Amino acid sequence: MFTAVQVMRGYRQLGVSARLTIGMSILAALVLVVGLISLTLGPVDIPASHIAWIALSSIGFDVPEFGRTEQLVIDQIRLPRIVVGAAVGMALGVAGATMQGLFRNPMADPGIIGVSAGGALGAVVAIASGLTGLFFLALPVFAFVGAMGAALLVYGIAVVGGHFSMATLLLAGVAVNAFLGAIVSAIIIVLPDNAALREILFWLAGGLDSRSWEHVRTAGPLILGSTVLLLLLARDLNLLMLGDDEARSMGVRVGATRVAMLLAASLATGAAVAVSGTIAFVGLVVPHTLRLMLGPDNRVLIPMSALGGAVFVILADTVARTIIQPAEFRVGILTAFVGAPFFILLLIKNKRQVYSL
Amino acid sequence: MLKSRMQILTLGIVLAVGVLVAACSGDGPPSVPVREQPDQLAERSLAGVRGIVDPNNSGWPRSVEGLNGMVSIPAKPERIITASIGHDEITLALVPNERLVAVGEVTKILTYSNVSDLVQDKAVITRDPETIIAEAPDVVVTSPFYPAEGIDALERAGIAVIQTELIQTPESRINAILLMGYIFGEEERAWEFADEIQARFDALVSVTAAKESKPRVLALTQYSDTLWVAGADSTEGGVIDAAGGINAAAEAGIQGNQTTSLEGVIAMAPDVIVIAQPIEFGAEEFRQSLFDNQALAEVPAIKNGAVHVVESKHFTTLSFWNIRGAEDLARILWPDDFPDPPVATFSLAE
């Protein structure tokens, strides 16, 4: 009888292709199962058979009758929400794995260079000004602009004088995070409207309510594009983790690669934050947990973090929208509630196996 | 002639006996205040009003029991601050305007306040107790959300502070008016005003209580992308009850104000949707988006065009002004019974 630890050790001794094939198959299947379960759950009672008929009819099969409302609930409400959840989880997982690798710090997450704080500021401005009620997508657009603006500002500070420094980047991230957080607090304090205040707090807690295909179309290509780029650069990230000189000697264009990875991770996170608010812990917990299980090879870790993040967010959102239905809970609160204790448990159990990056 | 005199005498006796019987038939004070002559109002008993320690004490000092404990008010307060918008609205109905010396910023904003036109020239207070102390009030009435540290600072400055909660049941609404009237030394005006509020509430309930089939109403708002519904024990829920509707969110088990999804709206299947959201926060656009969303097409309220943008400050205030919300909603639910617009405002203290 093999223990889980023995199985994971055996897995880590396999070649990259085998590890990728096995791991991706398992996680892809998990995404599918969790997605299907999520599709069957919600305040409107839709039998699983009707969902199957709806799916079959959409690809041309002749099926028994089902309700028009049932079809619209599946097509227009549940499915886009699940897809957005998967995309957000994928973005946060990939960006988290990349940041942890780039900073050689297992506690790094996508917010470290100000992306989340910038997104929060953009969203808060949109809500406080009342634009969110007047223009569809005002909130994601503002959040995205804020997220990317903050990331570029931090990066700009780190390259002042023509020399890029990771230490400066990290410290600039801390400063910009604090500065943007202070602006958000100032807006919250001077805002007289209680409803807007409540909405800001809700957005900051992260959520996937009322996500539509528009949100998929808005954030999806950015997340997909940046994820593909980060997957292509995974090997270079492995080399960068050995040190700049070693990476350079192996043919990596260190500066350009690092900038590309930072921008791609920021882009993925900014797009995710724009459509979901700040969902806590995914970018930290998912890559870190997978690293403990699978090892530090980014060629495996980054794609697995993409799928792991998707599973985690879909699952959390399913619980969030069904646990007190027809009311809803915030998915960002749930990810922190579940993620933090799980993360601590994992750290305690694997104290000796935690990889120092 | 004699016969005629006897008839008059008999009629007189019968009338006199009738008046005597009517006069003796009352069993103590009525549970619902009845309008009386002004000189009789002050003599009505305040027994049973929560927060008043000794209903028989109409002099000074007098004590009240707030959420922050027993508070003694040494003399009739001339300079009053009530540090919440709901309390401000009640205060202005009970005391002459000049006795309310300062208000929070929100009370001045037309979008949220039902008394904004009455307070534009008043000083502004914030949560910083220093801004309150600077106005030298004799008494401060606060909501439960005012911090204990602030209350402590005000009390150390020698100000009587009473922390009270405004709850929107019909009974609590009257209790708040009578308690605040007692705190301000305006019992007579408080009774008069409580009668006015009770009469407007009774005028609604006398019609709606008799309805056998009541529509299911959902109070729904959208701020940015998030949908909110008002369930049981919410202010909007109290308005729906008072207007004779069934609160669809409360029926679905939702407590207070919660977020929901479009799917949740479909599941609750309301007959009527009211959007108690300021116009400048996209209420009309939200209403249109509900009609444009095909997934909602089968919801009765959408199918029947029964989605209404209403005056949000009438629905969300914690003061008696939400009677106006109930009157607005009653006109929507029962247009034949309430053909005329409600009285626009309430009486003010002179």
Side-chain angles (χ1 to χ4, degrees):
Chain A
M1 197 71 177
F2 294 107
T3 65
V5 174
Q6 285 172 320
V7 170
M8 293 319 297
R9 267 193 203 134
Y11 173 83
R12 284 201 290 265
Q13 284 164 2
L14 295 172
V16 172
S17 303
R19 273 187 286 161
L20 265 180
T21 307
I22 295 170
M24 294 291 280
S25 304
I26 292 171
L27 278 179
L30 211 52
V31 171
L32 204 63
V33 170
V34 171
L36 284 174
I37 291 170
S38 182
L39 207 55
T40 62
L41 299 173
V44 176
D45 190 20
I46 305 175
S49 58
H50 288 207
I51 295 173
W53 295 336
I54 290 166
L56 290 173
S57 76
S58 69
I59 50 174
F61 279 89
D62 195 17
V63 294
E65 257 188 41
F66 50 81
R68 166 97 176 125
T69 300
E70 290 177 339
Q71 183 185 15
L72 288 167
V73 167
I74 295 295
D75 280 353
Q76 302 299 321
I77 298 176
R78 289 189 197 170
L79 199 52
R81 182 170 180 156
I82 292 167
V83 174
V84 172
V88 166
M90 186 166 88
L92 297 176
V94 167
T98 304
M99 292 296 191
Q100 287 169 14
L102 276 175
F103 284 91
R104 295 180 215 167
N105 183 341
M107 299 316 288
D109 78 352
I112 202 165
I113 57 167
V115 184
S116 301
L121 178 59
V124 167
V125 168
I127 294 169
S129 62
L131 286 173
T132 52
L134 303 178
F135 303 105
F136 185 65
L137 294 182
L139 185 57
V141 168
F142 269 66
F144 181 71
V145 169
M148 290 312 293
L152 291 174
L153 175 65
V154 170
Y155 182 74
I157 295 168
V159 295
V160 166
H163 298 289
F164 176 80
S165 153
M166 285 300 277
T168 310
L169 186 81
L170 187 62
L171 293 172
V174 171
V176 169
N177 265 320
F179 184 70
L180 298 179
I183 298 177
V184 167
S185 299
I187 293 173
I188 289 173
I189 286 167
V190 299
L191 196 64
D193 178 24
N194 284 337
L197 284 174
R198 194 166 54 177
E199 186 51 36
I200 288 171
L201 291 177
F202 262 66
W203 190 89
L204 293 175
L208 294 169
D209 44 307
S210 306
R211 299 303 88 177
S212 66
W213 291 115
E214 276 303 310
H215 294 96
V216 175
R217 280 190 281 272
T218 306
L222 294 171
I223 291 173
L224 208 57
S226 46
T227 301
V228 169
L229 181 61
L230 290 171
L231 290 174
L232 293 174
L233 293 172
R235 175 189 161 275
D236 290 355
L237 182 59
N238 278 348
L239 298 174
L240 279 172
M241 287 167 63
L242 298 173
D244 287 5
D245 292 339
E246 285 82 350
R248 208 169 280 120
S249 70
M250 301 290 283
V252 177
R253 292 169 61 201
V254 171
T257 304
R258 191 175 278 138
V259 170
M261 297 194 88
L262 278 172
L263 287 179
S266 303
L267 200 63
T269 310
V273 167
V275 293
S276 69
T278 46
I279 296 182
F281 249 80
V282 180
L284 181 66
V285 169
V286 171
H288 197 86
T289 304
L290 289 172
R291 187 179 293 107
L292 286 171
M293 293 163 67
L294 311 174
D297 187 341
N298 287 297
R299 292 170 298 174
V300 177
L301 185 62
I302 290 180
M304 299 287 266
S305 294
L307 294 180
V311 170
F312 188 42
V313 173
I314 295 172
L315 206 56
D317 184 53
T318 305
V319 175
R321 67 185 176 82
T322 54
I323 192 168
I324 50 170
Q325 67 182 24
E328 291 209 358
F329 208 66
R330 296 305 281 179
V331 68
I333 298 171
L334 264 185
T335 54
F337 266 164
V338 177
F342 177 69
F343 190 52
I344 292 166
L345 191 71
L346 209 63
L347 287 175
I348 293 169
K349 281 190 76 173
N350 296 278
K351 233 163 149 179
R352 289 181 190 166
Q353 294 177 45
V354 173
Y355 287 83
S356 56
L357 294 174
Chain B
M1 185 74 179
L2 186 66
K3 193 179 175 184
S4 172
R5 281 182 184 165
M6 282 300 291
Q7 280 176 331
I8 291 168
L9 186 63
T10 308
L11 187 62
I13 292 168
V14 168
L15 281 173
V17 169
V19 168
L20 194 65
V21 167
C24 295
S25 62
D27 293 330
S31 58
V32 173
V34 174
R35 192 172 290 279
E36 297 175 26
Q37 295 303 309
D39 59 343
Q40 293 175 303
L41 288 167
E43 292 164 17
R44 287 163 68 176
S45 172
L46 289 165
V49 176
R50 288 187 311 284
I52 296 178
V53 174
D54 179 5
N56 297 319
N57 176 17
S58 57
W60 305 93
R62 58 180 58 175
S63 295
V64 290
E65 179 83 39
L67 297 174
N68 57 324
M70 186 92 78
V71 180
S72 174
I73 307 164
K76 181 173 177 172
E78 291 302 324
R79 295 179 64 79
I80 297 167
I81 288 179
T82 43
S84 87
I85 186 168
H87 286 97
D88 287 340
E89 290 177 351
I90 297 173
T91 303
L92 284 169
L94 297 179
V95 302
N97 191 312
E98 61 272 14
R99 283 176 64 193
L100 181 67
V101 294
V103 295
E105 186 64 50
V106 182
T107 308
K108 293 191 172 195
I109 300 174
L110 179 65
T111 304
Y112 314 115
S113 167
N114 291 294
V115 293
S116 61
D117 56 326
L118 302 174
V119 298
Q120 288 306 316
D121 57 345
K122 292 194 186 297
V124 173
I125 54 161
T126 67
R127 288 170 73 81
D128 180 357
E130 191 175 335
T131 62
I132 297 177
I133 293 168
E135 297 303 322
D138 302 319
V139 70
V140 173
V141 181
T142 74
S143 75
F145 304 107
Y146 194 75
E149 296 85 348
I151 291 175
D152 185 51
L154 295 174
E155 286 174 341
R156 277 190 279 115
I159 300 167
V161 185
I162 303 110
Q163 195 173 34
T164 69
E165 186 174 19
L166 298 178
I167 302 170
Q168 284 319 306
T169 61
E171 185 272 334
S172 295
R173 192 182 291 130
I174 297 298
N175 195 91
I177 292 168
L178 296 177
L179 174 60
M180 287 177 69
Y182 184 75
I183 291 168
F184 304 149
E186 296 290 351
E187 296 92 315
E188 189 177 316
R189 169 61 188 160
W191 275 119
E192 187 181 78
F193 192 66
D195 286 346
E196 178 182 331
I197 296 302
Q198 191 65 43
R200 284 177 74 156
F201 180 71
D202 289 345
L204 275 181
V205 174
S206 63
V207 174
T208 59
K211 299 289 182 187
E212 284 180 4
S213 172
K214 296 186 173 186
R216 299 172 66 258
V217 182
L218 186 67
L220 182 70
T221 53
Q222 184 187 45
Y223 290 96
S224 65
D225 290 330
T226 306
L227 293 174
W228 292 84
V229 287
D233 297 331
S234 65
T235 313
E236 298 92 326
V239 171
I240 293 170
D241 293 342
I246 294 170
N247 185 350
E251 202 179 45
I254 294 176
Q255 192 76 20
N257 293 83
Q258 301 271 359
T259 59
T260 187
S261 60
L262 284 174
E263 196 180 337
V265 176
I266 296 169
M268 287 183 268
D271 300 311
V272 175
I273 293 175
V274 286
I275 301 172
Q277 175 177 343
I279 297 290
E280 53 267 51
F281 278 90
E284 287 294 351
E285 290 79 1
F286 174 47
R287 177 178 181 274
Q288 191 54 49
S289 76
L290 293 176
F291 285 114
D292 293 343
N293 193 321
Q294 288 187 325
L296 299 175
E298 295 300 314
V299 174
I302 306 289
K303 205 158 44 175
N304 301 322
V307 182
H308 305 270
V309 175
V310 292
E311 181 60 79
S312 66
K313 62 189 176 191
H314 292 168
F315 276 67
T316 55
T317 177
L318 288 168
S319 80
F320 59 86
W321 269 92
N322 60 30
I323 291 282
R324 267 303 310 274
E327 290 170 342
D328 296 341
L329 182 56
R331 284 196 79 210
I332 292 169
L333 301 182
W334 323 102
D336 296 337
D337 296 294
F338 300 98
D340 302 319
V343 179
T345 186
F346 297 89
S347 67
L348 291 169
E350 291 172 2

